[in-house]
Amino acid sequence: MELGIGMFGDLQINAKGEVQPAQQRLQEIIEEIKLMDEVGLDFYGIGEHHRPDYAVSSPEIILAAAATVTKNIKLSSAVSVLSSSDPVKLYQSFATIDLISNGRAELMAGRGSFIESFPLFGYNLQDYDELYEEKLELLLKINENPKISWKGKFRPELVNQEVLPRAVNDHLKIWVAVGGTPESVERAGRLGLPVMFAIIGGQPIQFKPLFDYYKKVYQAYGHDMNKFEVGVHMHSLFGENSKEIADYYYPLYSAQMNRVGRSRGWPPYQPNQFDAGRSKSGALIIGDASESVDKILAMEETFGLTRFSAHMDVGGPSHQAMMKSIEIFGTQIAPKVREALKK
């Protein structure tokens, strides 16, 4: 099982509502990725957002910068909002990162949990599902064939057009991110694409039927089980002392849940939700190394994971807290998880 970190590029917002400059956060992110590589984590993923509380609107630029200061870590979007992107340009960007990084780039395609990119790039939300279907089809076709002819509804036709540059070995790994809809799971299984499930609330065990469904569909369409890959993305932060890291993180985490929740009609986030999430059966992995090892191993046992992604910057923890969390993940948690999985 690969172990890594996902981020959205949350900006730090203080008690006065003052927002950290994006320039500062972007430079911190590069330092954090460099440390992830140094402590031996397997992959890094960065999301795409177009909101004032996030610093990153172009994952590919962050990943290109990270490619120059890292040696081994895989570099992925998490996610690229495919529905409001041009698959041709997206493939070209990630193929370029793949060449710069000597084959370490991946692309994770998703619909996006926020909708700001749709009006920004001139797309109609009424086409939400059709856009994703069509653009995923085109992206996969580009990945399979250097020269393509293609015609769709939302993009100008391509006639015997060569898409360059090509990724290392002429193949870019493309993941898809899913929330909780059977339709998304079925599509991924049918196409034989690796899936990242976002489990950010409730009890993870509730997702077990979707994991089982994905595997069933994947096998039904005759895909090679030796290439089967499935992961989870879970809100996480690690510290030396469980209570101290929880007490530090709750105000930041709840503030972000409430910022997002106001636009979605959620009730105010409560301490009991945080405590339930941190419990053995909850979806938050916020605590010390020992607790985190146990919970990550439980996720692997429950779902048969090939990848675990700790989404580590929700609410904008300080750079110091992030660096400490990364260090603990790489030097204390990851070795114990890997050792346990060898048995």
Side-chain angles (χ1 to χ4, degrees), residues 1-47:
M1 180 172 66
E2 293 180 317
L3 299 168
I5 292 172
M7 293 183 186
F8 281 176
D10 291 45
L11 292 164
Q12 293 148 27
I13 302 174
N14 67 22
K16 298 178 182 178
E18 296 168 335
V19 181
Q20 176 189 27
Q23 180 181 8
Q24 179 187 6
R25 182 67 197 122
L26 292 173
Q27 292 172 357
E28 290 175 351
I29 287 172
I30 299 301
E31 287 185 33
E32 290 161 9
I33 303 169
K34 188 171 184 289
L35 179 60
M36 293 174 208
D37 189 51
E38 290 169 353
V39 299
L41 293 175
D42 297 309
F43 72 91
Y44 170 75
I46 181 67

Side-chain angles (χ1 to χ4, degrees), residues 228-249:
F228 182 81
E229 294 184 82
V230 61
V232 293
H233 152 114
M234 299 175 70
H235 292 174
S236 310
L237 194 69
F238 313 121
E240 296 288 2
N241 179 281
S242 184
K243 184 178 187 305
E244 286 179 6
I245 193 65
D247 289 347
Y248 162 76
Y249 196 30

Side-chain angles (χ1 to χ4, degrees), residues 241-262:
N241 179 281
S242 184
K243 184 178 187 305
E244 286 179 6
I245 193 65
D247 289 347
Y248 162 76
Y249 196 30
Y250 175 76
L252 302 174
Y253 188 85
S254 61
Q256 178 65 352
M257 290 297 101
N258 287 332
R259 278 191 291 271
V260 174
R262 278 192 289 272

Side-chain angles (χ1 to χ4, degrees), residues 4-7 25 32-33 35-36 39 41 234-241 245-246 248-249 285-289 292 296 308-314 317-335:
I5 292 172
M7 293 183 186
R25 182 67 197 122
E32 290 161 9
I33 303 169
L35 179 60
M36 293 174 208
V39 299
L41 293 175
M234 299 175 70
H235 292 174
S236 310
L237 194 69
F238 313 121
E240 296 288 2
N241 179 281
I245 193 65
Y248 162 76
Y249 196 30
I285 306 185
I286 298 166
D288 62 26
S292 301
I296 292 169
F308 171 82
S309 177
H311 183 180
M312 201 177 280
D313 65 344
V314 180
S318 70
H319 180 49
Q320 181 181 11
M322 289 289 294
M323 294 289 276
K324 186 63 178 177
S325 183
I326 293 164
E327 179 190 348
I328 290 171
F329 193 14
T331 63
Q332 299 181 40
I333 297 171

Side-chain angles (χ1 to χ4, degrees), residues 50-261:
H50 305 269
R51 294 166 52 92
D53 44 349
Y54 296 109
V56 180
S57 61
S58 299
E60 49 268 51
I61 294 178
I62 300 296
L63 300 174
T68 67
V69 297
T70 57
K71 295 179 180 179
N72 300 305
I73 195 167
K74 295 178 181 179
L75 301 166
S76 176
S77 54
V79 302
S80 295
V81 184
L82 181 59
S83 306
S84 56
S85 301
D86 177 10
V88 174
K89 186 60 178 173
L90 201 61
Y91 176 86
Q92 290 177 319
S93 296
F94 278 83
T96 301
I97 301 166
D98 206 41
L99 297 173
I100 294 170
S101 66
N102 294 315
R104 291 186 283 129
E106 299 181 353
L107 193 162
M108 187 178 296
R111 299 169 182 268
S113 59
F114 295 93
I115 61 172
E116 288 81 8
S117 64
F118 287 82
L120 184 63
F121 297 116
Y123 292 100
N124 192 326
L125 274 172
Q126 292 181 342
D127 300 322
Y128 187 82
D129 292 322
E130 281 188 281
L131 280 165
Y132 185 75
E133 287 270 6
E134 178 176 299
K135 294 192 175 194
L136 182 60
E137 174 197 304
L138 176 55
L139 179 64
L140 296 177
K141 181 167 279 195
I142 292 168
N143 198 32
E144 292 165 4
N145 303 285
K147 190 173 286 188
I148 66 167
S149 294
W150 176 90
K151 188 174 184 179
K153 179 179 176 181
F154 300 103
R155 192 202 185 281
E157 183 178 2
L158 294 166
V159 180
N160 200 29
Q161 184 67 54
E162 195 167 13
V163 180
L164 299 168
R166 303 303 295 177
V168 174
N169 299 321
D170 200 21
H171 179 76
L172 181 68
K173 178 172 278 190
I174 297 174
W175 288 69
V176 292
V178 301
T181 63
E183 294 80 9
S184 296
V185 173
E186 188 279 334
R187 181 194 300 110
R190 171 167 40 88
L191 296 172
L193 296 173
V195 168
M196 180 67 71
F197 285 86
I199 302 181
I200 58 175
Q203 296 184 329
I205 193 64
Q206 296 168 319
F207 281 75
K208 186 68 162 63
L210 288 174
F211 279 81
D212 293 342
Y213 181 46
Y214 169 61
K215 187 174 183 179
K216 180 180 178 181
V217 174
Y218 186 96
Q219 291 176 310
Y221 278 86
H223 299 298
D224 185 355
M225 284 303 294
N226 291 320
K227 298 179 180 179
F228 182 81
E229 294 184 82
V230 61
V232 293
H233 152 114
M234 299 175 70
H235 292 174
S236 310
L237 194 69
F238 313 121
E240 296 288 2
N241 179 281
S242 184
K243 184 178 187 305
E244 286 179 6
I245 193 65
D247 289 347
Y248 162 76
Y249 196 30
Y250 175 76
L252 302 174
Y253 188 85
S254 61
Q256 178 65 352
M257 290 297 101
N258 287 332
R259 278 191 291 271
V260 174

